[in-house]
Amino acid sequence: MCRIPASCLERAKGFRARLESWLHKPEPGAEAGSAALGGKLSRDRGKLSEEALGWRDSFDQLLHNPQGLAAFRAFLKTEFSEENLEFWLACEDFKRTRSAAKLASRAHRIFEEFVRTEAPREVNIDHETRELTRRNLEAATAACFDQAQGQARALMEKDSFHRFLRSPAYLALLAGAPQPSQT
């Protein structure tokens, strides 16, 4: 059986608490007794709940929605697998690089952080893709991470995404209610 260090469990609980706080944080200046503001908060939660329903149908909708992305990132952190999303986001940002000089340096930085064997935030990709990506760095283009990024995305979509949809955090978003405590 795998034992998770207590410090990691505490860190995960902290992430969960921040997510709960973010999901249920009143707007600045909101007063508890104000019916008008309370109605606005309910509408906002209702809107978020409607958006969250769409995430269930499309991983792309989740990735392109700021609240969905934040909720999914927080969930991945609790599973200690946020490197896949961070890599995917780094690749998306990398593709928008226009300067050829910056392209090469950013490509090497992403490779060193996420792709190389024993990288600090190594993503789970196969050896062939890792090697292809390394060779792509010799003449870096905006597409040099496409295969590796695709594998990371597929892993998230087929695995983590489905666990996220069953998670208490996502179900609380759908209900617009606070997440039950699991202590």
Side-chain angles (χ1 to χ4, degrees), residues 93-146:
D93 186 49
F94 173 74
K95 289 176 187 177
R96 292 187 290 272
T97 304
R98 296 293 169 231
S99 164
K102 287 183 181 178
L103 201 66
S105 67
R106 286 185 179 176
H108 285 287
R109 204 170 348 161
I110 291 170
F111 183 84
E112 287 298 313
E113 185 175 354
F114 296 105
V115 180
R116 78 170 166 79
T117 304
E118 304 288 327
R121 300 168 75 187
E122 184 178 355
V123 292
N124 186 12
I125 57 176
D126 63 58
H127 175 73
E128 291 80 19
T129 301
R130 193 176 314 278
E131 185 58 28
L132 172 67
T133 305
R134 187 192 61 72
R135 285 192 312 267
N136 287 345
L137 292 182
E138 294 169 8
T141 67
C144 69
F145 292 105
D146 283 357

Side-chain angles (χ1 to χ4, degrees), residues 4-18:
I4 299 173
S7 62
C8 292
L9 289 174
E10 289 303 315
R11 183 173 166 225
K13 286 180 184 177
F15 287 132
R16 179 174 169 233
R18 284 196 298 271

Side-chain angles (χ1 to χ4, degrees), residues 8-47:
C8 292
L9 289 174
E10 289 303 315
R11 183 173 166 225
K13 286 180 184 177
F15 287 132
R16 179 174 169 233
R18 284 196 298 271
L19 174 62
E20 286 178 4
S21 171
W22 175 79
L23 291 174
H24 305 292
K25 189 177 196 176
E27 293 182 0
E31 295 176 26
S34 170
L37 287 177
K40 180 175 179 355
L41 287 173
S42 294
R43 284 191 306 275
D44 289 346
R45 277 200 189 125
K47 183 177 184 249

Side-chain angles (χ1 to χ4, degrees), residues 54-56 58-72 161 164-165 170:
W55 306 340
R56 189 171 48 190
S58 169
F59 187 55
D60 281 324
Q61 281 186 24
L62 173 78
L63 291 177
H64 293 95
N65 179 286
Q67 292 88 3
L69 192 59
F72 189 55
F161 177 58
F164 170 70
L165 295 177
Y170 176 73

